Amino acid sequence: MAASAAAAELQASGGPRHPVCLLVLGMAGSGKTTFVQRLTGHLHAQGTPPYVINLDPAVHEVPFPANIDIRDTVKYKEVMKQYGLGPNGGIVTSLNLFATRFDQASSFPTVVIYVMDTSRSTNPVTFMSNMLYACSILYKTKLPFIVVMNKTDIIDHSFAVEWMQDFEAFQDALNQETTYVSNLTRSMSLVLDEFYSSLRVVGVSAVLGTGLDELFVQVTSAAEEYEREYRPEYERLKKSLANAESQQQREQLERLRKDMGSVALDAGTAKDSLSPVLHPSDLILTRGTLDEEDEEADSDTDDIDHRVTEESHEEPAFQNFMQESMAQYWKRNNK
């Protein structure tokens, strides 16, 4: 799901003047729908209604007003049948159709909000799974990132923050696990230290509405980071893409000119091959087959009527030929 927080909400805290686009992601059951419902209700109460887009094609009901609903255009069950995917794979493939075309980040500050089920992350292995998923989304989207630890009304999120900040505390929790997965998690936790160091974390209860004020403070900080660090890079990439497309168009036009030039040259060559340069002796043998214009242009005796001259020579020869043919015919028949 995606919610565009109104600019007035952020301007009140000194944030950017442009609306901020929030991409709300998370695992199944993490409370994304309830979170967006609470978020949109909070913004409506503040007099800054957001523009909301539902990007979950598998959700049964949307308990908030959505300006655009992906379920109207993408049928995830048909995607599952076509590509042989399960429900999660169908949803991910459906979202990829949108993500590959999503260029909103080049116009508005865009922030990714990853909703995490805090109550189900008390197990260190499950917690690490959530963090790895969040890390993969961060590097895939290349956008400012906020982890929203939802359901703090069930359990406080302080234990998760401690695990992220204190490596030894996380290792102590892992020592209670003796499975192979725990050993793998212990090794991978070393890799995520850099990821944790720059990560924004907010505890929120989508049911009670607590933590939203702190969330908007983090959204403002992330939007400023976008304007400062991400937008120049996006503008550079956009310009590079435009230059590459322009260069490709020029190359295509140049190839077209060359192809058209070769076609014209071949046509000219073919035309020349139909009228080769003749030797003077050839002109004698082919006399009468040239165009009248060529004859008139090349002739030095314009005062002579060649047709009359040729007819005067051809008429006696034709009469002699006919007389000889008739004589031979009568001779054969009278034998």
Side-chain angles (χ1 to χ4, degrees), residues 28-49:
S30 61
K32 299 183 298 296
T33 303
T34 307
F35 171 76
V36 175
Q37 180 186 18
R38 174 63 65 176
L39 183 64
T40 56
H42 176 79
L43 292 174
H44 276 283
Q46 296 294 323
T48 55

Side-chain angles (χ1 to χ4, degrees), residues 19-214:
V20 178
C21 182
L22 303 180
L23 297 179
V24 182
L25 307 173
M27 290 187 176
S30 61
K32 299 183 298 296
T33 303
T34 307
F35 171 76
V36 175
Q37 180 186 18
R38 174 63 65 176
L39 183 64
T40 56
H42 176 79
L43 292 174
H44 276 283
Q46 296 294 323
T48 55
Y51 191 91
V52 183
I53 304 174
N54 173 44
L55 298 179
D56 188 350
V59 67
H60 295 290
E61 295 181 1
V62 178
F64 50 83
N67 300 87
I68 298 177
D69 196 335
I70 196 174
R71 297 178 301 172
D72 297 335
T73 55
V74 176
K75 308 301 180 184
Y76 82 100
K77 290 186 178 180
E78 296 180 2
V79 176
M80 290 168 54
K81 293 180 181 179
Q82 182 176 356
Y83 295 98
L85 302 172
N88 291 335
I91 295 173
V92 171
T93 303
S94 301
L95 291 179
N96 283 340
L97 299 176
F98 177 84
T100 53
R101 299 293 182 182
F102 185 77
D103 58 356
Q104 189 80 9
S106 62
S107 302
F108 299 109
T110 305
V111 179
V112 175
I113 292 182
Y114 177 75
V115 180
M116 173 179 166
D117 187 348
T118 309
S119 62
R120 294 183 180 180
S121 300
T122 55
N123 183 288
V125 175
T126 307
F127 172 81
M128 178 57 64
S129 176
N130 267 289
M131 290 297 102
L132 289 174
Y133 189 39
C135 184
S136 66
I137 294 174
L138 170 65
Y139 288 108
K140 182 178 179 60
T141 58
K142 297 180 177 64
L143 291 169
F145 201 84
I146 300 175
V147 174
V148 170
M149 294 188 175
N150 194 19
K151 303 183 182 181
T152 56
D153 55 300
I154 299 176
I155 185 173
D156 189 74
H157 68 293
S158 57
F159 75 93
V161 175
E162 183 183 7
W163 285 353
M164 295 170 64
Q165 296 177 352
D166 189 347
F167 177 76
E168 296 297 333
F170 184 69
Q171 294 300 314
D172 292 340
L174 275 176
N175 290 334
Q176 301 176 10
E177 302 287 336
T178 58
T179 61
Y180 168 77
V181 178
S182 65
N183 295 329
L184 178 63
T185 302
R186 183 177 293 102
S187 301
M188 300 182 69
S189 62
L190 296 171
V191 182
L192 295 180
D193 280 343
E194 183 178 357
F195 171 67
Y196 292 151
S197 61
S198 59
L199 192 63
R200 297 179 176 86
V201 180
V202 180
V204 172
S205 172
V207 175
L208 301 178
T210 58
L212 291 182
D213 293 336
E214 175 62 22

Side-chain angles (χ1 to χ4, degrees), residues 227-246:
E227 295 290 352
R228 182 177 61 255
E229 300 180 8
Y230 288 83
R231 182 180 291 279
E233 181 65 15
Y234 275 111
E235 293 295 337
R236 185 189 66 81
L237 293 176
K238 187 177 181 180
K239 185 177 180 181
S240 299
L241 179 61
N243 293 336
E245 292 178 350
S246 178

